[in-house]
Amino acid sequence: MSFLRDYFSSGIAVEIEYIVKDKHGTERLRTADKKAADAYDKALEIADRLAQLLHDDQVLPVLPDADLEELTIYLARNARNVERVLKGKEPEPTPPSGEHEDHTELTAEKPAKDAESNVTKLKRAP
């Protein structure tokens, strides 16, 4: 029993980290928030589809690939407002800096206010 008590009191912790990479294998986001990782991954997939559409239709044929990627990622991350504009509505007001509704605007994970909230202690198997 003293082994288990020593093990759990040693402060060993496991941190799960999600890494989102683009189709070229470039790391785009590193976070402990699964929801943020999934949202960013979805935005990258949509951006790829938008880039293919623009490329196939010869829209902006002289636009450098880096600029096309930046444009399509912006459109994907702001899909709600793009859809509103396409329907003839005003875009929703942009929240003040740092108060994004979802985490897809993040490019790097910021530490949580309570770092322990992202840590789960390991339990040794019997």
Side-chain angles (χ1 to χ4, degrees), residues 6 15 20 23 25 31 42 46 49 53 57 67 73 75 79-80 87-88 90 103 107 115:
D6 291 343
E15 184 175 329
V20 180
K23 66 181 179 182
T31 181
K42 182 178 178 181
I46 292 169
R49 285 189 227 121
L53 174 71
D57 289 346
D67 292 343
I73 289 174
L75 293 171
R80 185 178 309 154
K87 290 180 177 180
E90 291 291 321
H103 299 284
T107 55

Side-chain angles (χ1 to χ4, degrees), residues 10-57:
S10 67
I12 296 174
V14 174
E15 184 175 329
I16 297 174
E17 191 169 60
Y18 299 93
I19 301 170
V20 180
K21 295 182 179 182
D22 64 17
K23 66 181 179 182
H24 305 292
T26 304
E27 184 177 313
R28 302 300 298 247
L29 177 71
R30 182 180 294 251
T31 181
D33 183 353
K34 183 175 182 349
K35 184 177 178 182
D38 288 342
Y40 198 87
D41 184 51
K42 182 178 178 181
L44 288 178
E45 289 175 11
I46 292 169
D48 283 342
R49 285 189 227 121
L50 283 169
Q52 189 63 50
L53 174 71
L54 295 172
H55 181 269
D56 291 349
D57 289 346

Side-chain angles (χ1 to χ4, degrees), residues 5 32 35 65-67 110 113 117:
R5 186 179 63 245
K35 184 177 178 182
D65 287 342
D67 292 343
K110 294 183 180 178
K113 291 179 184 173
S117 67

Side-chain angles (χ1 to χ4, degrees), residues 42-121:
K42 182 178 178 181
L44 288 178
E45 289 175 11
I46 292 169
D48 283 342
R49 285 189 227 121
L50 283 169
Q52 189 63 50
L53 174 71
L54 295 172
H55 181 269
D56 291 349
D57 289 346
Q58 301 280 323
V59 176
L60 305 170
V62 295
L63 187 67
D65 287 342
D67 292 343
L68 179 62
E69 180 180 15
E70 186 176 335
L71 172 64
T72 57
I73 289 174
Y74 171 83
L75 293 171
R77 288 167 54 183
N78 293 283
R80 185 178 309 154
N81 276 337
V82 170
E83 184 177 5
R84 288 179 60 85
V85 169
L86 290 173
K87 290 180 177 180
K89 299 177 183 177
E90 291 291 321
E92 293 175 352
T94 305
S97 180
E99 295 181 20
H100 302 290
E101 183 175 308
D102 63 17
H103 299 284
T104 58
E105 299 291 328
L106 300 175
T107 55
E109 177 67 14
K110 294 183 180 178
K113 291 179 184 173
D114 177 13
E116 293 297 315
S117 67
N118 290 332
V119 177
T120 305
K121 297 234 182 205

